[in-house]
């Protein structure tokens, strides 16, 4: 392994999640500059780090609030933030009950795509005597959640505007299916603008012009300004980046701030080395990279993790002359950083190769 | 959802990991009978449940000890068991240091495949003034870890037999690549016996006949007796089973004791329903089932989880007339139970549809 102070690394249990703070700073500054330049509000998704300390860093760098996917994330992020968007349908008594118990200083907004979910939310908001904002979730081609037609969006927006306890604030969508690297995305970005305009125009004609139009994803991050009418973006992965961000053209390899420190535990099978980072440390997520694999070495990106068992990662040595010894330390960049972070208890923070601190990943679970 | 007492279910946060204790009992009794009938020792792998209470149940049902993959699992299982096999190369100072700190009453055995790992282990054992057993890990076709030739096995066995602090106890292997359902496994089981005999004969001729020959996996569980010379099996998944166990022919669907309780959160896209169990609750693991998907509903196995985002599971409704409402509860059997359990903080225990207790999953992490 290259420029790292290995003395402290040998004291910690591998696999361990490392975060390079210099790279985090650079990643945050880049998105802060971009959103400022284009007049977009920045509401990072905290599901990537699940750690209040990193949410605080995002807010200090200029974020206007945070996005969460679970009530646990909302509870944890409320420790450091007064403006929380739950980008997830708030369905179920337990979920709604805890959501209403967030500190009253928190400006809460919820995305939803059904009148049922709206009615439940309204009932809980009135019981808790708080005002909850609502964004209508739009289906923009990913076919996961969201209303498919402007008429359906209008029904929910109208209901939101007339429900006591609820404040209609706008629309939201997630086009997570768009990931073509390079210039191939141009026509998709235009199509997104056109589809979005259908919704916004219908709502505006009926006096329900959305104040907030919230979108964006990490693969399309730097082209968010091409989506006409967008007011806010919610990138998550961008704080750390991962192998998929690089494959999608969203960042360079040296913008990867997260890696899993691992120990080589076996070299008995020729052509490969086995590390102690398996699917329970890296997550078994198919990548965008056509060469396959579940990750690659930070210091030797030509060495891929070609196979994963629960506690074994198989390094493919076919494209390198490097032959690791048993006991050697390596750092792996996973395909999907959010899924990997979620498997760890803490993040070890590093600056200039030296240990700085560890943060507990407190927003795991639900 | 069918026969369940839903009153308590609505009090807990979904997604939640449920375990049906009646099915666990039946699964444990079945393997206890099988191993007894065939004179095999039973050393279940605890990576599946990572919970000392379930290890205790296995020991009470007749298990002779436990298998672990990590030091954390060893530490936790040592609370309830005096005989622990670490089926993982014990490499690295931190790992070895903690391993030697296990209570002295614990009979410890370690699998390894290199002389380097043996030397490190020996040094730590002598420093800690304890005797550590060693099994030589054999490569039996999976190409993950293990020595490939009888000569290499002999080198390590000889070194183990002559290293102070180390006791040579035998050999171990894991043929996790064998998963053909039905009768197609016959020739593979014979090939496994033949390959194993090569190793055992070589070792025996040199006075290093293995006392322990440890193997087995859940897909080939009920055919373990066909492997000549095997003394011990280490099934893990079998306590809970999963969709892959069923696909591999190792159990019936109603032997699945583990499921993830989930809430339907959106039905806005026709032909599908979205539940709140995504890849952070079920694990994104490709299955053995040729129809694809990441899991299926316990009560409606024809309904597959066809897609997963982090907090979204997409149910394919194309093979059912059932149309769930938003807020409805369902139970999902994941493809790979070990990977799913590892994503949860606790297991909710159920008997006859009623809540019994919750166990913290304390052996997660490393």
């Amino acid at each position: 392994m290259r420029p790292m102070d290995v003395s402290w690394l040998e004291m910690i249990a591998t696999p361990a999640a490392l975060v390079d703070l210099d790279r985090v700073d650079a990643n945050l500054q880049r998105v802060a500059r971009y959103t400022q330049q284009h007049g977009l509000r920045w509401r990072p998704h905290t599901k990537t780090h699940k750690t209040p300390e990193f949410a605080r860093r995002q807010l200090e760098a200029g974020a206007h609030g945070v996005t969460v996917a679970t009530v646990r994330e909302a509870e944890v992020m409320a420790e450091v933030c007064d403006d929380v968007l739950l980008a997830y349908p708030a369905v179920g008594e337990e979920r709604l009950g805890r959501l209403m118990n967030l500190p009253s200083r928190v400006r809460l907004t919820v995305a939803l795509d059904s009148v049922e979910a709206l009615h439940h939310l309204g009932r809980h908001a009135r019981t808790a005597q708080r005002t909850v904002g609502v964004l209508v979730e739009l289906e923009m081609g990913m076919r996961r959640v969201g209303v498919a037609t402007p008429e359906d969006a209008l029904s929910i927006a109208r209901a939101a505007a007339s429900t006591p306890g609820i404040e209609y604030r706008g629309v939201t969508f997630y086009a997570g299916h768009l990931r073509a690297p390079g210039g191939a995305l141009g026509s998709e970005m235009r199509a997104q603008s056109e589809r979005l305009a259908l919704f916004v125009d219908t709502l505006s004609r009926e006096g329900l012009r959305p104040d907030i139009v919230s979108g964006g994803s990490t693969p399309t991050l730097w082209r968010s300004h091409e989506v006409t009418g967008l007011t806010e973006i919610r990138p998550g992965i961008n704080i750390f980046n991962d192998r998929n961000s690089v494959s999608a053209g969203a960042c360079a390899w040296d913008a990867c701030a997260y890696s899993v420190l691992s120990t080589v535990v076996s070299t008995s099978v020729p052509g490969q080395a086995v590390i102690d980072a398996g699917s329970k440390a890296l997550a078994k997520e198919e990548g965008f990279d056509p060469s396959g694999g579940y990750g690659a070495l930070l210091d030797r990106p030509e060495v891929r993790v070609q196979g994963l068992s629960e506690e074994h990662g198989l390094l493919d040595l076919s494209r390198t002359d490097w032959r690791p010894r048993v006991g050697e330390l390596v750092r792996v960049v996973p395909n999907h950083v959010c899924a990997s972070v979620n498997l760890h208890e803490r993040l070890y923070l590093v600056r200039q190769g030296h240990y700085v601190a560890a943060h507990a990943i407190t927003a795991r679970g639900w």
Side-chain angles (χ1 to χ4, degrees), chain A:
Chain A
M1 217 169 64
R2 278 169 265 188
M4 285 289 279
D5 165 14
V6 298
S7 56
W8 72 271
L9 294 177
E10 291 182 350
M11 306 294 287
I12 63 176
T14 58
L18 304 189
V19 175
D20 182 318
L21 287 182
D22 294 314
R23 292 184 176 191
V24 165
D25 289 346
N27 292 341
L28 295 183
Q29 281 156 24
R30 187 178 172 203
V31 73
R33 273 197 310 273
Y34 171 80
T35 49
Q36 215 163 16
Q37 183 185 345
H38 293 286
L40 290 164
R41 290 171 76 88
W42 170 32
R43 183 184 288 281
H45 205 312
T46 56
K47 55 140 187 167
T48 303
H49 53 70
K50 286 184 177 266
T51 310
E53 291 87 346
F54 279 107
R56 186 179 279 134
R57 282 174 197 272
Q58 290 170 318
L59 293 164
E60 286 169 358
H64 294 88
V66 298
T67 305
V68 301
T70 67
V71 177
R72 178 78 66 90
E73 288 170 11
E75 289 165 344
V76 169
M77 299 313 154
E79 295 168 19
V80 297
C81 184
D82 288 339
D83 189 340
V84 174
L85 167 63
L86 176 65
Y88 199 82
V91 171
E93 293 299 301
E94 197 273 347
R95 186 176 272 124
L96 284 163
R98 281 167 55 211
L99 201 58
M100 292 306 117
N101 281 333
L102 289 177
S104 57
R105 63 172 162 75
V106 174
R107 176 184 155 98
L108 178 64
T109 310
V110 172
L112 45 77
D113 66 2
S114 70
V115 174
E116 298 94 304
L118 176 72
H119 286 163
H120 289 299
L121 182 63
R123 179 167 51 78
H124 277 269
R126 291 189 297 278
T127 304
Q129 295 186 288
R130 67 187 299 161
T131 301
V132 179
V134 157
L135 300 182
V136 180
E137 178 97 39
L138 311 180
E139 205 290 294
M140 293 284 281
M142 195 189 179
R143 295 186 56 78
R144 186 173 72 177
V145 294
V147 295
T149 67
E151 292 67 37
D152 287 344
L154 189 58
S155 301
I156 300 176
R158 268 195 188 126
S162 64
T163 299
I166 298 293
E167 189 174 281
Y168 165 69
R169 290 185 183 150
V171 297
T172 183
F173 62 94
Y174 177 64
H177 59 297
L178 297 183
R179 53 179 68 155
L185 222 50
S187 62
E188 271 108 343
M189 300 307 280
R190 275 191 301 278
Q192 210 179 119
S193 291
E194 286 162 20
R195 184 164 166 76
L196 183 60
L198 287 179
F199 285 100
V200 171
D201 292 350
T202 299
L203 291 165
S204 300
R205 270 199 306 275
E206 302 292 327
L208 293 162
R209 198 184 61 79
D211 281 342
I212 298 171
V213 178
S214 178
S217 71
T218 291
T220 63
L221 175 53
W222 313 111
R223 309 192 61 162
S224 301
H225 61 284
E226 297 176 34
V227 183
T228 314
L230 205 63
T231 68
E232 171 182 285
I233 61 171
R234 309 183 307 270
I237 290 171
N238 145 270
I239 185 172
F240 293 155
N241 288 314
D242 55 21
R243 190 164 173 245
N244 280 348
S245 311
V246 177
S247 302
C251 73
W253 186 252
D254 66 7
C256 291
Y258 175 90
S259 63
V260 176
L261 181 74
S262 320
T263 303
V264 174
V265 296
S266 172
T267 56
S268 67
V269 175
Q272 78 180 20
V274 182
I275 57 174
D276 59 3
S279 63
K280 284 177 173 172
L282 295 172
K284 201 165 182 176
E285 297 254 339
E286 297 291 323
F288 306 167
D289 191 303
S291 72
Y294 300 101
L297 296 193
L298 182 63
D299 300 310
R300 303 175 190 277
E302 71 278 15
V303 179
R304 287 178 299 129
V305 180
Q306 67 179 357
L308 287 178
S309 310
E310 285 161 63
E311 304 290 353
H312 302 78
L314 272 52
L315 300 183
D316 173 7
L317 302 181
S318 65
R319 294 194 282 182
T320 179
D321 293 333
W322 172 67
R323 287 295 171 272
R325 58 177 175 73
V326 167
E328 193 162 341
L329 294 172
V330 296
R331 288 178 288 179
V332 182
V333 178
N335 285 350
H336 185 187
V337 64
C338 314
S340 174
V341 168
N342 187 53
L343 296 166
H344 292 264
E345 289 172 18
R346 62 188 73 80
L347 295 167
Y348 292 94
L349 277 46
V350 178
R351 221 184 253 288
Q352 309 285 335
H354 294 279
Y355 172 76
V356 174
H359 290 331
I361 306 168
T362 48
R364 301 196 298 162
W366 301 275

